[in-house]
């Protein structure tokens, strides 16, 4: 994700995401993603009380998706 207008922008996707970005990453709506979290299918967010935010870890999300993938 390189920005030609900003050469210092990182090519790496962000490690932490809000629920909207995490849902988009999985290809579902935020409501569906929250349901997947409640069901234990998607990982729970990291709770950061100092900034009153929940952050979803991209690596944990990738792991959860890979664990559910079925090999052909």
């Amino acid at each position: 994700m390189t920005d030609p207008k900003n050469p210092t922008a990182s090519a790496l996707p962000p490690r932490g995401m809000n629920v909207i970005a995490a849902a988009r990453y999985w290809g579902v709506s935020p409501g569906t993603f929250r349901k997947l979290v409640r069901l234990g299918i998607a990982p729970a967010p990291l709770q950061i009380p100092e900034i009153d935010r929940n952050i979803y870890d991209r690596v944990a999300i990738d792991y959860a998706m890979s664990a559910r993938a079925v090999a052909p």
Side-chain angles (χ1 to χ4, degrees), residues 17 19-33 36 61 65:
M17 297 180 274
V19 69
I20 295 168
R24 187 177 307 129
Y25 189 69
W26 260 32
V28 298
S29 71
T32 297
F33 191 80
L36 293 169
I61 291 171
M65 180 66 83

Side-chain angles (χ1 to χ4, degrees), residues 31-54:
T32 297
F33 191 80
R34 286 185 189 100
K35 182 177 182 178
L36 293 169
V37 170
R38 281 193 308 273
L39 293 172
I41 296 168
L46 304 170
Q47 296 177 346
I48 318 260
E50 295 84 1
I51 59 172
D52 194 31
R53 301 281 306 226
N54 289 335

